[in-house]
């Protein structure tokens, strides 16, 4: 694997909540994405996926940890110094109904990044190429439309085109299809896959393990602000080690019904980052929890094949 | 392209390509706005054309003291024998100018502070809102009496007082709107792209709150005219500018009532009431049309109720 483009190291993000508390939305996450690779960050709602991506974009309050881009530490860069980075790192938002300014025509939305970064030469050409690359062909058909005149899938393509206009090296896609019709999801995911093949690094956030299994090279499974299992896709899917990953996988429909194991339905409530359990944070819901799990907080440790790690001593 | 995508490409998601109803459609759908607008156009024309259409000058004695309404003077004469109709026409210009500029000061100051406070949030927001609160609890009447007696009685000072009294409403309202817009994903997207705060405010936030600001400005003009009338009635108006409020004050001051000269008080009172009502109708309808959930027209009503000044009776 080549030199990573984006590295996140021991990231901790805390949001102030009310007067007293701080919610540790992300609590020690590390991951790396290389050019031409797609890494999937998988986890249930509220586990801190969006916060991780926003912190990587320096849009969330980082309490500790490092963000590196092409080896350079960008954790503490001021907004001026961040500008060139913002040209290369692009965030794609979950909700294409919300992420496009309703007053902007497609043309204006795709031109805006070029204006922001003062790119004057061949704006029109760049804009058209970006739209074409995002699958909106011919661009003329879309240029003068407002977001409300586009379907959800088209809107997400406009959003991607706006990101591509700056010819970035890395995309962070935050659940890019979860708000879309099932029928257009594959198209958008295929587009991201093509971009990855063209050499972009992609961090794909999803709560759907089967999407991750289909497109990603590596999978990071996140639970309550931490990565509890990570490794090459084939490893994590074929030989899941953490009980949480196993539970997630057991509810994914499989092509071969005979192959399906018992679905493991997780007990307990969806976790609350304001109230993290002691010991292993998964223990209240873990089907195989031991006494020690209440007190000992496991760290990621090698499990199974090379590059595969899980945060459970019983993995 | 899949057939699905092809279909999507050819058929726009919604047939309606118009984004916002044009002004006439708004007026058509809101009769009260249309009536308000019509009334205001008439008064605006009177204000603009005043010097040319007024039969007499604003200081010209043309008949007896408190001369009764009769043929050449349909609204009678005042305590100095000046034609009331002419005074009314000249006063329209002064009253409307004070109303508009006062509202403009309030909107510019309040809007700027509201946008900065709402957009940046945090400590700056706390600080600005604390300042706003101080102004909000300051009794308007005390403020304006103090300011008028320190700075003197002039139109400019009245405009400043109006701005001082009303910018807080505007600041709070705009702040709460901007706080909502700031959290929109498209604002976050612009931030992620590296857009400057100024750019985000001007290109994404302001256009979103502008219609509301405009609707509020209209309501604010009504408040400003009301306040100008009140200030004048208290004898703190500009002695050289015969606004409607000054006419009412003058009428009371020169005991028009004991002379039975109702015509010295009722016409300017009615004019104030009609103009305020017209602005109110237009502004409330605009507010309704723009954002059914967020309103401040109740502030206007409460404001009038809370401060029943003597001229209100005359204005009826
Ligand atoms: N701006 C914020 N202020 C306070 N708390 C926040 C903020 N953003 C997120 N949180 C909290 O941080 C936690 C993680 O949120 P985050 O949005 O990162 O989760 P997520 O994994 O992206 O979830 P989803 O799948 O629902 O998008 C949540 O408990 C959320 O309530
Ligand atoms: S450490 Fe214990 S509670 Fe945590 S996942 Fe492993 S077995 Fe379950
Ligand atoms: Mg999210």
């Amino acid at each position: 694997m080549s030199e990573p483009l984006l590295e996140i190291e021991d990231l901790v993000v805390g949001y102030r909540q009310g007067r007293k508390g701080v919610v540790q939305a992300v609590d020690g996450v590390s991951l790396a994405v290389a050019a031409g690779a797609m890494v999937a960050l998988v986890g249930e709602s509220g586990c801190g996926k969006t916060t991780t991506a926003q912190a990587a974009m320096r849009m969330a309050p980082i309490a500790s940890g490092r963000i590196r881009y092409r080896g350079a530490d960008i954790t503490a860069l001021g907004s001026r110094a961040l500008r060139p980075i913002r040209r290369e790192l692009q965030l794609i938002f979950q909700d294409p109904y919300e992420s496009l300014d309703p007053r902007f025509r497609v043309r204006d939305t795709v031109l805006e990044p070029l204006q922001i970064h003062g790119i004057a030469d061949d704006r029109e050409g760049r804009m058209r190429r970006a739209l074409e690359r995002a699958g909106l062909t011919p661009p003329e058909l879309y240029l003068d439309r407002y977001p409300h005149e586009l379907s959800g899938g088209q809107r997400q393509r406009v959003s991607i085109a706006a990101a591509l206009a700056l010819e970035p090296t890395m995309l962070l896609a935050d659940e890019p299809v979860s708000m879309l019709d099932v029928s257009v999801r594959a198209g958008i995911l295929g587009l991201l896959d093509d971009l990855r093949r063209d050499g972009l690094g992609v961090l794909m956030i999803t709560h759907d393990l089967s999407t991750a299994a289909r497109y990603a090279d590596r999978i990071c499974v996140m639970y309550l602000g931490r990565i509890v299992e990570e490794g090459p896709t084939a490893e994590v899917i074929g030989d899941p080690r953490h009980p949480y990953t196993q539970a997630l996988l057991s509810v994914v429909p499989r092509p071969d019904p005979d192959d399906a194991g018992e679905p493991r339905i997780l007990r307990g409530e969806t976790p609350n980052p304001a109230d993290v359990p002691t010991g292993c944070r998964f223990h209240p819901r873990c089907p195989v929890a031991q006494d020690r799990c209440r007190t000992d907080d496991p760290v990621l440790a090698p499990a199974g094949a090379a590059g595969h790690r899980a945060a459970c001593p019983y993995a | 392209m899949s057939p699905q995508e092809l279909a999507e490409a050819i058929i726009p998601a919604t047939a309606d390509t118009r984004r916002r109803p044009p002004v006439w459609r708004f007026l058509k759908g809101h009769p009260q706005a249309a009536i308000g607008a019509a009334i205001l156009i008439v008064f605006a024309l009177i204000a603009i054309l005043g010097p040319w259409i007024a039969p007499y000058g604003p200081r010209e004695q043309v008949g007896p003291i408190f001369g009764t309404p009769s043929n050449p003077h349909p609204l009678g004469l005042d305590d100095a024998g000046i034609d009331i109709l002419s005074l009314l026409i000249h006063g329209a210009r002064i009253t409307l100018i004070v109303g508009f500029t006062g509202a403009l000061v309030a909107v510019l100051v309040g809007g700027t502070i509201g946008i900065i406070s709402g957009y940046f949030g945090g400590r700056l927001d706390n600080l600005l809102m604390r300042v706003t609160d101080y102004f909000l609890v300051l009794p308007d009447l005390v403020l304006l009496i103090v300011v008028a007696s320190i700075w003197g009685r002039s139109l400019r000072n009245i405009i400043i007082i109006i701005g001082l009294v009303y910018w807080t409403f505007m600041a709070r309202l705009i702040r709460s709107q901007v706080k909502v817009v700031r959290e929109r994903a498209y604002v976050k997207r612009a931030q992620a792209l590296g857009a400057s705060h100024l750019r985000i405010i001007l290109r994404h936030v302001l256009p979103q709150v502008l219609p509301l600001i405009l609707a509020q400005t209209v309501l604010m003009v009504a408040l400003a005219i009301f306040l100008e009338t009140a200030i004048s009635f208290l004898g703190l108006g500009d002695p050289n500018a015969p606004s409607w409020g000054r006419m009412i004050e003058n009428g009371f001051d020169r005991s028009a009532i004991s002379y039975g000269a109702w015509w010295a008080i009722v016409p300017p009172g009615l004019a104030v009431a009609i103009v305020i009502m017209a602005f109110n109708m237009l502004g409330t309808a605009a507010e309704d049309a723009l954002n059914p959930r967020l309103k401040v027209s109740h502030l206007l009503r409460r404001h009038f109720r809370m401060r029943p000044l003597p001229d209100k009776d005359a204005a009826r």
Side-chain angles (χ1 to χ4, degrees):
Chain A
M1 209 199 249
S2 55
E3 183 79 347
L5 276 177
L6 176 73
E7 293 165 273
I8 298 174
E9 228 178 81
D10 275 329
L11 177 71
V12 178
V13 180
Y15 286 116
R16 232 177 257 274
Q17 194 152 61
R19 257 166 210 289
K20 28 190 161 103
V22 171
V23 179
Q24 222 87 300
V26 175
D27 191 9
V29 161
S30 302
L31 58 83
V33 186
M38 186 186 286
V39 174
L41 189 58
V42 186
E44 61 198 329
S45 187
C47 70
K49 307 182 295 293
T50 297
T51 307
T52 304
Q54 294 202 334
M57 295 289 299
R58 290 288 317 281
M59 291 172 66
I62 298 172
S64 68
R66 297 259 152 272
I67 310 290
R68 266 192 269 279
Y69 182 74
R70 289 186 190 280
D73 191 334
I74 64 165
T75 324
L77 286 190
S79 59
R80 194 168 299 243
L82 268 176
R83 275 173 68 86
I85 311 282
R86 295 211 184 283
R87 193 173 157 176
E88 298 202 32
L89 265 175
Q90 293 290 325
L91 191 56
I92 292 167
F93 288 77
Q94 178 170 7
D95 187 350
Y97 294 87
E98 259 273 299
S99 67
L100 300 180
D101 191 320
R103 282 157 204 282
F104 277 39
R105 294 170 194 270
V106 167
R107 171 198 303 280
D108 305 318
T109 298
V110 182
L111 280 177
E112 183 171 43
L114 299 170
Q115 294 162 352
I116 290 172
H117 287 275
I119 298 166
D121 68 294
D122 194 25
R123 272 191 190 169
E124 198 76 6
R126 284 172 197 265
M127 173 189 73
R128 279 163 200 277
R129 284 196 297 278
L131 283 166
E132 280 168 4
R133 204 162 172 216
L136 296 171
T137 47
E140 287 70 30
L141 207 49
Y142 303 94
L143 285 179
D144 292 311
R145 290 202 196 167
Y146 287 101
H148 77 259
E149 298 167 326
L150 299 168
S151 71
Q154 290 169 345
R155 287 185 211 203
Q156 197 56 298
R157 286 178 191 270
V158 172
S159 185
I160 294 173
L164 294 179
L166 289 170
E167 288 159 23
T169 54
M170 165 104 211
L171 295 179
L172 296 103
D174 187 358
E175 305 201 38
V177 298
S178 67
M179 306 297 282
L180 301 181
D181 241 42
V182 179
S183 59
V184 297
R185 285 184 181 180
I188 300 286
L189 292 169
L191 167 60
L192 292 174
D193 197 40
D194 289 345
L195 292 169
R196 174 186 73 90
R197 284 176 209 284
D198 290 348
L200 271 79
V202 179
L203 177 65
M204 175 136 89
I205 291 173
T206 175
H207 54 249
D208 178 16
L209 203 48
S210 52
T211 300
R214 175 137 157 64
Y215 294 99
D217 309 297
R218 269 184 94 73
I219 292 181
C220 302
V221 179
M222 202 166 167
Y223 185 83
L224 206 45
R226 289 247 181 106
I227 288 178
V228 294
E229 176 156 9
E230 59 142 350
T233 301
E235 282 296 317
V236 174
I237 300 299
D239 182 21
R241 292 307 182 102
H242 197 279
Y244 178 60
T245 315
Q246 290 166 358
L248 285 182
L249 268 172
S250 73
V251 294
V252 171
R254 291 181 190 235
D256 176 9
D258 295 340
D259 182 34
E262 275 291 291
R264 281 201 206 168
I265 308 298
L266 290 175
R267 296 175 283 147
E269 315 243 315
T270 31
N272 171 11
D275 182 22
V276 176
T278 57
C280 174
R281 49 191 64 207
F282 185 54
H283 87 252
R285 299 169 77 195
C286 181
V288 295
Q290 316 282 312
D291 281 346
R292 262 185 57 195
C293 301
R294 281 174 221 286
T295 49
D296 295 3
D297 193 2
V299 294
L300 276 175
H308 190 177
R309 299 193 297 164
C312 173
Y314 311 103
Chain B
M1 232 194 255
S2 70
Q4 161 91 19
E5 284 165 320
L6 197 66
E8 279 185 1
I10 296 164
I11 309 157
T14 46
D16 180 22
T17 51
R18 259 179 282 202
R19 281 190 311 150
R20 259 184 297 146
V23 171
W24 66 264
R25 222 200 282 175
F26 161 70
L27 292 176
K28 213 174 160 190
H30 298 79
Q32 60 153 336
I35 295 169
I39 295 173
L40 291 179
I41 287 170
V42 171
F43 275 95
L45 283 177
I46 291 174
I48 292 165
L49 302 175
W52 293 282
I53 58 173
Y56 306 99
R59 289 187 183 80
E60 199 180 339
Q61 177 162 14
V62 292
I65 289 169
F66 289 130
T68 48
S70 59
N71 194 14
H73 310 295
L75 295 178
L77 304 174
D78 77 353
D79 62 289
I82 301 171
D83 182 48
I84 300 267
L85 178 65
S86 300
L87 271 179
L88 212 53
I89 291 171
H90 289 289
R93 179 179 276 207
I94 294 163
T95 301
L96 287 181
I97 285 179
V98 173
F100 269 110
T101 40
L104 208 64
V105 170
V107 168
L108 287 180
V109 175
T112 307
I113 289 182
I115 286 175
I116 292 174
S117 207
Y119 178 79
F120 290 101
R123 280 187 197 186
L124 188 62
D125 182 28
N126 281 340
L127 181 79
L128 288 176
M129 282 305 110
R130 200 158 300 172
V131 173
T132 309
D133 284 341
Y134 281 128
F135 275 90
L136 208 57
V137 297
L138 223 60
D140 299 355
L141 277 178
V142 174
L143 181 77
L144 60 91
I145 289 169
V146 168
V147 171
S149 47
I150 293 175
W151 291 347
R153 298 159 55 184
S154 74
L155 278 189
R156 195 201 61 198
N157 290 348
I158 291 175
I159 290 166
I160 294 175
I161 292 169
I162 292 172
L164 274 181
V165 170
Y166 290 133
W167 70 268
T168 50
F169 289 147
M170 209 60 198
R172 292 216 149 259
L173 178 84
I174 298 301
R175 169 180 174 270
S176 67
Q177 274 288 290
V178 169
K179 266 188 169 332
V180 174
V181 177
R182 176 184 79 164
E183 296 304 323
R184 297 259 163 86
Y186 60 78
V187 170
K188 297 263 183 238
R189 205 170 61 84
Q191 284 167 352
L193 283 169
S196 65
H197 294 310
L198 188 65
R199 183 189 177 90
I200 293 174
I201 288 174
L202 292 182
R203 297 258 296 169
H204 295 285
V205 176
L206 193 59
Q208 201 68 33
V209 296
L210 200 59
L212 184 77
I213 294 182
L214 290 180
Q216 295 316 309
T217 306
V218 172
L219 291 171
M220 206 53 92
V221 177
L223 282 170
I225 290 176
F226 175 75
L227 189 58
E228 192 276 336
T229 308
I231 292 171
S232 296
F233 187 81
L234 292 173
L236 298 170
D238 187 335
N240 302 315
S243 67
W244 293 337
R246 286 258 309 118
M247 288 172 73
I248 298 170
E249 186 253 333
N250 197 57
F252 275 95
D253 195 40
R254 302 300 158 93
S255 357
I257 290 176
S258 47
Y259 282 98
W262 54 268
W263 54 87
I265 294 168
V266 173
L270 268 178
V272 169
I274 290 171
V275 166
I276 288 180
M277 188 190 70
F279 275 109
N280 204 356
M281 283 162 82
L282 184 63
T284 312
E287 199 178 47
D288 271 345
L290 288 170
N291 190 345
R293 271 167 306 152
L294 200 117
K295 290 183 194 163
V296 289
S297 46
H298 66 275
L299 272 179
L300 196 74
R301 286 194 284 275
R302 172 146 38 98
H303 203 71
F304 285 138
R305 213 180 316 123
M306 263 163 37
R307 281 163 246 273
L309 287 169
D311 70 331
K312 212 187 153 205
D313 295 331
R316 279 207 188 118

